[in-house]
Amino acid sequence: MAQLRGFASAAAQGADIPEVVCFEKQSQWGGQWNFTWRTGMDEHSEPVHSSMYRHLWSNGPKECLEFADYSFDEHFGRPISSYPPRAVLWDYINGRVEGTGLRDWVRFSTAVRTVTPHPISGFLVTSEHLPSQSESTEHFDDVVVATGHFSFPHVPAFEGIESFPGPVMHAHDFRGAEELADKDVLVIGSSYSAEDIGIQAHKLGAASVVFSYRTEPMGFGWPASLEEWPLVRRFQGRTAYFRDGRTRGFDAVILATGYRHHFPFLPQELRLRTANTLYPDRLYKGVAAEETPHLYFLGMQDQWFTFNMFDAQAWLVRDMILDRFAIPAAEVRRRDIQRWLNRMHAIETVREDVEFQADYIRDLIELTDYPMFDLDAVVEIFLEWKHDKQADILTYRDRCYRSVMTQTEAVPHHTPWIEALDDSSAAYLSTAEVPVA
Amino acid sequence: MAQLRGFASAAAQGADIPEVVCFEKQSQWGGQWNFTWRTGMDEHSEPVHSSMYRHLWSNGPKECLEFADYSFDEHFGRPISSYPPRAVLWDYINGRVEGTGLRDWVRFSTAVRTVTPHPISGFLVTSEHLPSQSESTEHFDDVVVATGHFSFPHVPAFEGIESFPGPVMHAHDFRGAEELADKDVLVIGSSYSAEDIGIQAHKLGAASVVFSYRTEPMGFGWPASLEEWPLVRRFQGRTAYFRDGRTRGFDAVILATGYRHHFPFLPQELRLRTANTLYPDRLYKGVAAEETPHLYFLGMQDQWFTFNMFDAQAWLVRDMILDRFAIPAAEVRRRDIQRWLNRMHAIETVREDVEFQADYIRDLIELTDYPMFDLDAVVEIFLEWKHDKQADILTYRDRCYRSVMTQTEAVPHHTPWIEALDDSSAAYLSTAEVPVA
Ligand SMILES: Cc1cc2nc3c(=O)[nH]c(=O)nc-3n(C[C@H](O)[C@H](O)[C@H](O)COP(=O)(O)OP(=O)(O)OC[C@H]3O[C@@H](n4cnc5c(N)ncnc54)[C@H](O)[C@@H]3O)c2cc1C
Ligand SMILES: Cc1cc2nc3c(=O)[nH]c(=O)nc-3n(C[C@H](O)[C@H](O)[C@H](O)COP(=O)(O)OP(=O)(O)OC[C@H]3O[C@@H](n4cnc5c(N)ncnc54)[C@H](O)[C@@H]3O)c2cc1C
Ligand SMILES: NC(=O)c1ccc[n+]([C@@H]2O[C@H](COP(=O)([O-])OP(=O)(O)OC[C@H]3O[C@@H](n4cnc5c(N)ncnc54)[C@H](OP(=O)(O)O)[C@@H]3O)[C@@H](O)[C@H]2O)c1
Ligand SMILES: NC(=O)c1ccc[n+]([C@@H]2O[C@H](COP(=O)([O-])OP(=O)(O)OC[C@H]3O[C@@H](n4cnc5c(N)ncnc54)[C@H](OP(=O)(O)O)[C@@H]3O)[C@@H](O)[C@H]2O)c1
């Protein structure tokens, strides 16, 4: 959507833009934000893309992801809280593109199957229209890969897990915590998915949650029934054996063990191979494939910033495609990438981590005409957010921030997050929570 | 495995056989019988193939699926019961091929990505070795598709199901009924998966099960907590509204709504499109693609018979490939297919249904050198089995049958099925059940 909007913005300013075709395998746009109740495979036997779930609310303040060219105020017409639920964020990102004619550029329900470099120039893209199962191959001069990287689960095996007598699922397949009520839950992992699924379980009545970390614990001030233990070594029946010698029985296991950057539609040599990191190697300006001209990737970074970073990337990619931004020679590209990698490797504090990504975005915006915004102010919001979470992991979503785009102060939601059990737009936008059926 | 074994059997008799390469995306053979605890996607982000689950036991007497060239007696050295658990059947099918050198013909962990007709003759097969993500394309004269048809779930949507506040999963993703203990469970569908998942839930302590049928109820004599209701119309919260006006609240929903014949690796024009039926149209002798010479499908039929039917098919396909069986002209093929289709459409009774498939297999065996066996006797076992299930759906798996291959009478398992909570080979083959950890 960012890339489409980038081209639309240039077109609105009178630029001559090429034909743009966006292939989207779902029947609606919104990516991760386009929730589905399905798990595993969808109605066309395609892997389900979204990893989101019922009761997923933004886990960062919306003031950090606001678009610089489409504010929350413009969309909602009034201040809202800082941590809206998924449906409300979908509404916001949809609002920027719906009704603008951009749907005509999208082929929905169409999955890209293969992208192969054309022997002379450009790429042959083979796609399948899923409802009709009909395939077609077309030539494109440039290819922008914007398929996300939180959809293909990384699922490590643990000895004995195959006979654990209860649900074992990766965060990707988690669709809601209601089924964890009264259960003793083991969550493996110590990042955002672990944290949020753990507190979702708590919110919806789990008897206990043990988080099991590989590298380090999250260290929040958990309520008494939530604890952090070292990594599981093995399972026997419902009992987990931990590295520190402790054992405990569980009713359910959630593997919040992250995702794989995976591009099954690309030939091996064009696949981006990277861990989840702030600066994947071999992408000039974080977007242009270092060794393959005319191949671009959006959003492949680990994410403090999201929507507005994707925008800045998309605007620059647009300018690369339109030859408004001249891609320099190979050595210059390598030096630029290396400079960012060196800086990344030297990061020691959370502040440096966030500032790194802010500076990266600043660099992008300076190279294109995406509206510059107060990135330093956003860094401060991120740091305050970290602080809020340390202070109280169960109430941080009740805090309010001020927009750096419009200076609007968010207003508290009518219901504290821990009590909010209706995550629909209607309930959120009403003046008081609608009772759940 | 049947196809490999078919070629091996010809080779053992001195036939000159061509190079045979079997691509298997899992790291082990056994297909559905190769259980995995994973759901959704596997470690290589491939859709998980097997739809089986903990505590899955054969749902038909093993005497109906016994290989004509490798008996249960030969494998186990002593009589066993008629309904072994999954691991024991895996052991049996593995036993026929393990240690015979056939592993050398298989490229494990290698998924076929595309099969395209070569402009001159044969096919180009592109496969990916999953651990290394390396792709290669090779030429083959003949292609046998034996990828099964119970892996890609058919998942209809129901109004309101997206906000059902508990687990909603297709039978394909069901991995065991322990999590259904004390729950009120809704199972949609009225075929084998519905039946077995419903009684698994009951066995493992579900509070109640409602089966919801579209066409007709299964009509077994269910225990009091299991009932059959008409189709669900819609959900609101945890409440399901049924076509007959009844409503009820549930904790979990299992969609046992069948599978899709799906061949994402074939070009559209070569895909077999069929419902789950005894005689898919456009397959000569049920195996040879009517319009595409040198393209074969195994096991695409709805199944009374399984292993020995796959064998008979594989032996005939082998003979087609070796030009030992001459494929007749198009009109002859069409007439043959049409004759079977006409007979299928005239089927009125269960007996006719089973006899249809027995006669189909007889036809195949008469055309090749697979050992003929007493198909009529197997038909009678199937009918007795149907009768046993009508008599008592919870004890039918305790019944014993006589092998048509060896005349060996099965012996009762040491534990009635409803009480057997260890489905491992070790527990099954021991003289008494090992207590569960
Ligand atoms: C559980 C979870 C919660 C999150 N919560 C937040 C949050 O609170 N705040 C936040 O800012 N970010 C959050 N994120 C981060 C999220 O990744 C970004 O917000 C954003 O969705 C990334 O956008 P994207 O377009 O790069 O990728 P995605 O949103 O993943 O979209 C990729 C799109 O590509 C399509 N696609 C994939 N393969 C193909 C193909 N072969 N052919 C055609 N189409 C294809 C998909 O259908 C999808 O629509 C969350 C992520 C996850 C997993
Ligand atoms: C839940 C369930 C229970 C069943 N229970 C019984 C029972 O009790 N008794 C009985 O007789 N039958 C049972 N069946 C029927 C079962 O389908 C057959 O027994 C048998 O497994 C079918 O064998 P197959 O080789 O045709 O397919 P499968 O067993 O499905 O094997 C297909 C193989 O193809 C591989 N494959 C798929 N796509 C690719 C690709 N693109 N590249 C490489 N490899 C690929 C898979 O990894 C798999 O190994 C059951 C089926 C299900 C779903
Ligand atoms: N809005 C929300 O509420 C919400 C909820 C969930 C997720 N998200 C978003 O989703 C994205 C993905 O987050 P994520 O947490 O799924 O992925 P992630 O940030 O990449 O974290 C992966 C986690 O898995 C652990 N891990 C990996 N391999 C492991 C192994 N073999 N054994 C044990 N642990 C292992 C890692 O531990 P190490 O530290 O040891 O490497 C790390 O803790 C983020 O953008 C996040 O913001 C948002
Ligand atoms: N060993 C075991 O215990 C075991 C366990 C499970 C499965 N299996 C095997 O697995 C294979 C597959 O069996 P299966 O039962 O999954 O598939 P199946 O036999 O094809 O049955 C599909 C079922 O789904 C129903 N259905 C389809 N669409 C529906 C809709 N929109 N709404 C409601 N119902 C719908 C069908 O109802 P209609 O009648 O209305 O069409 C039918 O009852 C079989 O070979 C079986 O033997 C074995």
Side-chain angles (χ1 to χ4, degrees):
Chain A
M1 288 156 93
Q3 194 61 70
L4 298 182
R5 178 68 190 220
F7 279 110
S9 130
Q13 287 161 36
D16 224 12
I17 62 155
E19 191 195 347
V20 175
V21 179
C22 169
F23 296 95
E24 171 51 64
K25 75 189 186 106
Q26 299 172 283
S27 58
Q28 176 60 287
W29 50 29
Q32 288 282 352
W33 300 93
N34 179 23
F35 173 77
T36 172
W37 56 277
R38 296 172 186 275
T39 57
M41 282 181 272
D42 71 11
E43 61 273 41
H44 305 298
S45 298
E46 283 293 300
V48 164
H49 184 80
S50 182
S51 303
M52 293 198 179
Y53 38 85
R54 286 185 301 265
H55 302 301
L56 183 138
W57 295 53
S58 179
N59 66 345
K62 76 177 195 306
E63 287 72 20
C64 294
L65 56 76
E66 191 164 13
F67 297 118
D69 68 349
Y70 187 73
S71 67
F72 282 99
D73 284 0
E74 182 176 348
H75 184 74
F76 291 102
R78 60 172 162 111
I80 61 168
S81 77
S82 278
Y83 295 86
R86 180 202 59 76
V88 173
L89 280 178
W90 182 84
D91 199 67
Y92 170 60
I93 58 180
N94 179 60
R96 186 166 74 144
V97 285
E98 193 61 275
T100 59
L102 284 186
R103 269 191 188 272
D104 299 344
W105 295 2
V106 186
R107 293 207 213 137
F108 289 102
S109 302
T110 306
V112 170
R113 293 284 176 235
T114 58
V115 174
T116 28
H118 186 272
I120 297 170
S121 89
F123 302 89
L124 292 176
V125 174
T126 301
S127 64
E128 177 175 349
H129 179 246
L130 299 167
S132 63
Q133 293 192 27
S134 61
E135 249 181 41
S136 51
T137 299
E138 291 150 282
H139 182 270
F140 290 95
D141 298 313
D142 301 84
V143 168
V144 183
V145 178
T147 52
H149 60 93
F150 294 128
S151 291
F152 291 102
H154 165 63
V155 193
F158 294 87
E159 188 190 325
I161 200 169
E162 67 284 358
S163 37
F164 180 85
V168 175
M169 73 178 84
H170 186 274
H172 171 67
D173 286 321
F174 177 82
R175 286 290 172 278
E178 293 91 340
E179 59 191 290
L180 301 177
D182 305 321
K183 295 279 166 76
D184 293 312
V185 181
L186 173 63
V187 179
I188 304 182
S190 55
S191 183
Y192 297 104
S193 290
E195 166 199 319
D196 195 58
I197 291 172
I199 63 175
Q200 295 281 347
H202 175 73
K203 176 172 170 176
L204 290 164
S208 73
V209 176
V210 169
F211 297 103
S212 172
Y213 60 89
R214 177 173 66 175
T215 310
E216 28 175 356
M218 294 172 274
F220 296 112
W222 303 108
S225 59
L226 279 63
E227 291 177 44
E228 294 196 73
W229 292 16
L231 197 58
V232 175
R233 246 188 222 295
R234 64 182 181 92
F235 292 88
Q236 187 161 6
R238 65 185 291 269
T239 305
Y241 292 75
F242 293 81
R243 282 204 179 154
D244 61 358
R246 281 189 278 186
T247 64
R248 181 135 141 194
F250 293 98
D251 301 309
V253 178
I254 317 279
L255 295 150
T257 44
Y259 293 87
R260 309 174 66 219
H261 282 71
H262 187 52
F263 307 95
F265 50 88
L266 289 181
Q268 215 202 351
E269 64 280 11
L270 300 190
R271 291 184 187 177
L272 179 69
R273 288 168 210 274
T274 175
N276 187 19
T277 165
L278 283 183
Y279 213 89
D281 198 357
R282 303 223 288 241
L283 290 181
Y284 174 62
K285 296 296 174 196
V287 291
E290 190 180 4
E291 283 127 26
T292 312
H294 304 285
L295 177 67
Y296 306 92
F297 290 85
L298 297 183
M300 292 302 146
Q301 293 68 18
D302 194 6
Q303 297 159 7
W304 290 99
F305 291 79
T306 54
F307 302 170
N308 43 37
M309 176 172 72
F310 307 149
D311 269 8
Q313 295 183 321
W315 259 248
L316 183 63
V317 167
R318 177 204 65 196
D319 289 348
M320 291 171 167
I321 292 173
L322 296 181
D323 284 332
R324 290 173 168 199
F325 173 87
I327 296 183
E331 324 79 69
V332 182
R333 299 204 299 271
R334 176 79 328 237
R335 263 203 313 275
D336 191 72
I337 295 171
Q338 201 54 56
R339 193 170 55 84
W340 285 103
L341 290 175
N342 294 346
R343 174 169 165 191
M344 180 176 74
H345 294 133
I347 289 172
E348 288 184 347
T349 65
V350 171
R351 174 176 285 278
E352 285 168 8
D353 216 65
V354 187
E355 283 175 347
F356 177 92
Q357 197 155 58
D359 287 345
Y360 163 62
I361 298 171
R362 196 186 328 272
D363 183 40
L364 297 181
I365 299 183
E366 282 168 356
L367 299 172
T368 181
D369 69 352
Y370 190 72
M372 183 58 83
F373 58 97
D374 189 348
L375 285 151
D376 299 327
V378 179
V379 170
E380 298 310 319
I381 299 181
F382 274 120
L383 294 171
E384 247 191 88
W385 167 65
K386 290 297 272 186
H387 181 264
D388 294 345
K389 287 172 70 178
Q390 282 302 333
D392 190 345
I393 190 70
L394 297 183
T395 61
Y396 81 90
R397 283 189 171 104
D398 303 327
R399 297 290 313 269
C400 288
Y401 292 91
R402 178 188 294 278
S403 164
V404 305
M405 309 295 174
T406 59
Q407 311 310 319
T408 300
E409 191 74 43
V411 296
H413 182 45
H414 51 66
T415 309
W417 176 80
I418 192 79
E419 289 163 23
L421 288 173
D422 186 334
D423 62 354
S424 67
S425 279
Y428 179 80
L429 296 172
S430 74
T431 44
E433 180 157 21
V434 189
V436 185
Chain B
M1 288 155 96
Q3 193 61 69
L4 298 182
R5 178 68 192 223
F7 278 110
S9 131
Q13 288 160 34
D16 223 12
I17 62 154
E19 190 195 347
V20 175
V21 179
C22 169
F23 295 95
E24 171 52 62
K25 74 188 186 109
Q26 298 172 280
S27 57
Q28 176 61 289
W29 50 28
Q32 288 283 350
W33 300 93
N34 178 25
F35 174 76
T36 173
W37 56 277
R38 295 172 187 275
T39 57
M41 281 181 272
D42 71 12
E43 62 274 41
H44 306 298
S45 300
E46 282 294 299
V48 164
H49 185 80
S50 181
S51 304
M52 293 198 177
Y53 38 85
R54 288 184 300 265
H55 302 301
L56 183 139
W57 295 53
S58 179
N59 67 346
K62 75 177 196 306
E63 288 71 19
C64 294
L65 55 77
E66 192 164 14
F67 296 119
D69 68 349
Y70 187 74
S71 68
F72 281 98
D73 284 0
E74 181 176 350
H75 183 74
F76 291 101
R78 61 173 161 108
I80 61 168
S81 77
S82 280
Y83 294 86
R86 180 202 59 75
V88 174
L89 281 178
W90 181 85
D91 199 68
Y92 170 60
I93 59 180
N94 179 58
R96 185 166 76 142
V97 285
E98 192 61 273
T100 58
L102 283 188
R103 268 190 188 273
D104 299 344
W105 295 2
V106 186
R107 292 207 214 137
F108 288 102
S109 303
T110 305
V112 170
R113 294 282 176 236
T114 57
V115 174
T116 28
H118 185 274
I120 296 169
S121 88
F123 302 89
L124 291 176
V125 175
T126 300
S127 64
E128 178 175 349
H129 179 244
L130 299 168
S132 63
Q133 293 192 26
S134 62
E135 249 181 43
S136 52
T137 299
E138 291 151 285
H139 183 268
F140 290 95
D141 297 315
D142 301 84
V143 167
V144 182
V145 177
T147 52
H149 61 93
F150 293 128
S151 292
F152 291 102
H154 166 62
V155 193
F158 293 88
E159 189 190 325
I161 199 168
E162 67 284 358
S163 39
F164 180 85
V168 175
M169 72 177 86
H170 186 272
H172 171 67
D173 287 320
F174 177 82
R175 286 289 171 281
E178 293 91 340
E179 60 190 291
L180 301 177
D182 306 321
K183 295 278 167 76
D184 294 313
V185 181
L186 173 63
V187 179
I188 304 182
S190 54
S191 183
Y192 296 105
S193 291
E195 167 198 318
D196 195 57
I197 291 173
I199 64 175
Q200 295 281 346
H202 175 73
K203 175 172 171 176
L204 291 164
S208 73
V209 177
V210 169
F211 298 102
S212 172
Y213 60 88
R214 177 173 66 176
T215 311
E216 27 176 354
M218 295 173 272
F220 297 112
W222 304 108
S225 60
L226 278 63
E227 292 178 42
E228 293 195 74
W229 292 16
L231 197 58
V232 175
R233 242 187 225 295
R234 66 184 179 92
F235 292 87
Q236 186 161 6
R238 64 186 292 270
T239 305
Y241 292 76
F242 294 82
R243 281 203 179 156
D244 61 358
R246 281 190 277 187
T247 64
R248 183 135 142 193
F250 294 98
D251 301 309
V253 178
I254 317 279
L255 295 152
T257 44
Y259 292 87
R260 307 173 67 217
H261 282 69
H262 187 51
F263 308 94
F265 50 87
L266 290 181
Q268 212 201 354
E269 64 280 11
L270 301 190
R271 291 183 187 177
L272 179 69
R273 286 167 210 275
T274 175
N276 187 18
T277 163
L278 283 183
Y279 213 88
D281 198 357
R282 302 220 289 238
L283 290 181
Y284 174 62
K285 296 296 175 196
V287 290
E290 189 180 7
E291 282 126 27
T292 313
H294 305 284
L295 177 67
Y296 306 92
F297 290 86
L298 298 182
M300 292 302 144
Q301 293 69 16
D302 195 7
Q303 298 159 7
W304 291 100
F305 291 78
T306 53
F307 301 172
N308 43 35
M309 175 171 73
F310 307 149
D311 269 9
Q313 294 182 323
W315 259 247
L316 182 63
V317 167
R318 177 202 66 194
D319 289 348
M320 289 173 168
I321 292 173
L322 296 180
D323 284 334
R324 290 171 167 201
F325 174 87
I327 296 183
E331 324 78 67
V332 182
R333 299 205 299 273
R334 176 78 326 235
R335 262 203 314 275
D336 192 71
I337 296 170
Q338 201 54 57
R339 193 171 54 85
W340 286 104
L341 291 175
N342 293 345
R343 175 169 165 191
M344 179 176 76
H345 294 134
I347 289 172
E348 286 182 352
T349 65
V350 172
R351 174 176 286 279
E352 284 168 8
D353 216 63
V354 188
E355 284 176 346
F356 177 92
Q357 197 156 57
D359 287 345
Y360 163 61
I361 298 171
R362 196 185 329 270
D363 184 39
L364 297 180
I365 298 182
E366 282 169 354
L367 299 172
T368 182
D369 69 353
Y370 190 72
M372 183 58 82
F373 58 97
D374 189 346
L375 286 150
D376 298 327
V378 179
V379 170
E380 297 310 319
I381 299 182
F382 273 120
L383 295 172
E384 246 190 88
W385 166 66
K386 289 297 271 186
H387 180 265
D388 294 346
K389 287 173 68 176
Q390 282 302 333
D392 190 345
I393 190 70
L394 297 183
T395 61
Y396 82 90
R397 283 189 172 103
D398 302 327
R399 299 291 311 269
C400 287
Y401 292 91
R402 177 189 296 278
S403 165
V404 306
M405 308 296 174
T406 60
Q407 310 310 317
T408 301
E409 191 73 42
V411 296
H413 182 45
H414 50 67
T415 309
W417 176 81
I418 193 78
E419 288 163 23
L421 287 174
D422 186 333
D423 61 354
S424 66
S425 277
Y428 180 80
L429 295 172
S430 75
T431 44
E433 179 158 19
V434 189
V436 185

